[in-house]
Amino acid sequence: MGTIILRGARRRTCPDAASAPPTQTATVPDSARPSDGVPAVSTPAPDAPPASDLLPEPVARTLPDVPGVGPDGRPRPDAPLVAVTGVTGYVGGRLVPELLAAGYRVRALARRPERLRGRPWYDAVEVVQADASDAEQIRAALDGVDVAYYLIHSLGTGRTFEQRDRSTALTFGAAARKAGVGRVVYLGGLAPEGEELSPHLASRTEVGEILLASGVPTTVLRAAVILGSGSASFEMMRYLTERLPAMTVPRWVLNRIQPIAVRDVLRYLVGSATMPPEVNRAFDIGGPDVLTYRDMMQGYARAAGLPQRIIVPVPVLTPKLSSLWVGLVTPVPSGIARPLVESLVHEVVCTEHDIAEHVPDPPGGLIGFDRAVRLALARIREADVTTRWSSAGVPGVPSEPLPSDPDWAGGSLYVDERQIVVDASPAALWRVLEAVGGERGWYSWSLAWRVRGLADRVVGGPGLRRGRRDPRRLVVDDAVDFWRVEEVDPGRLLRLRAEMRVPGLAWLELRVEPDQDAGADGADADAVWRTPPTTFAQRAVFHPHGLAGQLYWWAVYPFHGVVFGGMQRNIARAAETAERARRDVEARREA
């Protein structure tokens, strides 16, 4: 039996709960716990959106030899099948719709397939539950696959990343060979010859060599800085430039770099699927401009309409110190910033452009730095950032869903539960809930949230600076400051899983409950959606790990009334304000 301890279960304006004691203990049989219900394999839905709906301007439009979609705008049943790993990451999440638009059938491989449910292409692909480091799982997942994309790397995942990268690449290469995969495509890092490389750049080079030696024809694409809305490299450059009008910087800002726009990276990835079987090599890929990092920051300032920055190189800033500074100034945590900074210590310029023999340049040429920055800024302004560097999650943080696994048997959960009736429609309340976090904040004691975010960054967590991908809409697996969206039932439920560093597992659940009597007169569902009042239920759940977890809960518990209570009240007020504004508009229209 699992024990759930409810603490601070306050229920305002609920007669049944008015006399309930503040502390209750309930037992829930493990058999009653909901399972995640995610199948190991799913197939494309017959009514999946056509490629033109997913991607109006695909890179495949000017690529030769791609299969092309059928008359219905979807991949044909006999089209080549491609498998994509790393689909929850920045590049993988953007590659899938490009492949669909090119006419390929796509099999998306993920350890936790439920993380993909919010993606617009989810119903258009096969989804397979598989861990790339598990030989049996990955071998089965690659069965029948023509081309496999390997988009896995352990950026910022701790001291053992080299061994993990090596082992996973060896497992994947062997599985691809046994499954009869026709080609493997890997996106690695551009590295200079004959220099001692940083650990992360050396590891990515080694992974490419392992795949090339796997016995499966392999294309290794080696890129330097990738420019695109939401990429870690772009965000690092963006925030350094915007927040620091004058700065002292390490001498590596004078090294030459050949950045490439993410759209051109996607073009090369899609085009690599049609390479002939005799091709088994690495290709350098880069944009048309070779710049220093200082040039890039000044170029960003011009594109963003900012004054030119004062940039003074000094010899004393090591990559470690630089990454700590980047982690303080930008949303990119130091654990991810450090490998990015270390790669910039080298001059990373393409030594060849042989890729053009197999994937020709687009008719208008590759995208230059200035245009890439303008395109990225336009996406950010329009809130049209499809994936971000934070899409892949934070290494080392808990990923378990809200209690549903047998491992929870006998464990304790601390729950702070509150309800309030809001004089607003469910629609008005949901709009406020779905916009929490990021620039809008958390509607209570902002100083406490900022201090908690700063403390989290000090111990290696994401803090509050990740913000949101979209200021208005959330999907499963979106990052929201130091939370991750675990579940979204539009209009009804938002469940966030904590990714801050805590001695345990934590969730925040926000639920919209329409008035039970609103539909009693036979009103349709749309009318109920627009009819006040609404119950707003808020629940914070914590599963402690050991004594440290117990002490943590009781240390922060006295602040719950201010933080969570204030959050609920202020969200309710914001919804009621929006509701009054809507009523005023309707009244003026009727008048």
Side-chain angles (χ1 to χ4, degrees), residues 19-32:
S19 59
T23 302
Q24 306 175 40
T25 301
T27 57
V28 179
D30 295 322
S31 60

Side-chain angles (χ1 to χ4, degrees), residues 27-340:
T27 57
V28 179
D30 295 322
S31 60
R33 298 181 186 273
S35 64
D36 58 15
V38 178
V41 181
S42 72
T43 56
D47 58 348
S52 57
D53 287 352
L54 293 171
L55 208 61
E57 297 182 9
V59 297
R61 181 171 294 171
T62 58
L63 275 175
D65 303 326
V66 296
V69 296
D72 60 354
R74 302 178 179 87
R76 294 178 173 86
D78 59 347
L81 176 64
V82 300
V84 183
T85 63
V87 288
T88 58
Y90 176 73
V91 173
R94 297 191 179 205
L95 177 61
V96 169
E98 295 284 1
L99 290 167
L100 291 170
Y104 292 102
R105 293 181 296 133
V106 175
R107 180 178 291 170
L109 278 54
R111 284 178 296 179
R112 298 185 62 84
E114 65 270 22
R115 293 181 61 188
L116 304 178
R117 283 190 287 110
R119 308 301 172 96
W121 40 260
Y122 179 80
D123 290 332
V125 305
E126 293 182 29
V127 177
V128 177
Q129 185 173 17
D131 186 336
S133 63
D134 186 303
E136 184 176 346
Q137 287 186 16
I138 201 66
R139 163 65 181 82
L142 294 178
D143 186 47
V145 166
D146 297 288
V147 180
Y149 285 87
Y150 190 81
L151 303 177
I152 300 171
H153 60 85
S154 303
L155 187 67
T157 55
R159 298 178 180 179
T160 62
F161 75 91
E162 293 166 283
Q163 180 180 351
R164 183 165 53 251
D165 276 352
R166 183 183 306 115
S167 175
T168 304
L170 287 167
T171 299
F172 187 89
R177 184 178 65 252
K178 291 178 182 178
V181 172
R183 174 163 298 279
V184 170
V185 182
Y186 170 61
L187 178 61
L190 187 59
E193 299 289 341
E195 294 186 23
E196 183 178 354
L197 302 178
S198 67
H200 278 270
L201 200 53
S203 179
R204 298 189 75 174
T205 300
E206 182 186 23
V207 167
E209 293 169 349
I210 289 171
L211 295 174
L212 287 168
S214 66
V216 179
T218 297
T219 301
V220 174
L221 302 177
R222 309 194 308 172
V225 172
I226 296 178
L227 300 172
S229 58
S231 79
S233 296
F234 181 79
E235 292 289 280
M236 188 173 82
M237 177 184 66
R238 172 191 172 200
Y239 280 91
L240 285 173
T241 307
E242 289 186 351
R243 292 180 173 175
L244 300 175
M247 64 192 95
T248 56
V249 294
R251 294 185 64 86
W252 52 253
V253 299
L254 302 179
N255 290 343
R256 296 187 307 151
I257 305 165
Q258 192 164 353
I260 182 170
V262 66
R263 183 173 176 82
D264 287 332
V265 172
L266 295 170
R267 178 184 175 84
Y268 286 135
L269 286 168
V270 175
S272 293
T274 59
M275 286 188 179
E278 63 271 16
V279 176
N280 185 62
R281 58 162 292 186
F283 296 91
D284 293 352
I285 60 172
D289 301 318
V290 176
L291 308 162
T292 67
Y293 202 81
R294 179 166 64 178
D295 294 335
M296 291 169 60
M297 287 193 289
Q298 299 290 24
Y300 177 89
R302 288 193 303 272
L306 302 172
Q308 288 295 282
R309 283 9 209 169
I310 300 172
I311 302 174
V312 181
V314 295
V316 295
L317 292 176
T318 65
K320 182 177 181 179
L321 288 174
S322 299
S323 62
L324 291 174
W325 175 245
V326 169
L328 181 65
V329 175
T330 80
V332 182
S334 55
I336 292 177
R338 183 165 184 177
L340 297 176

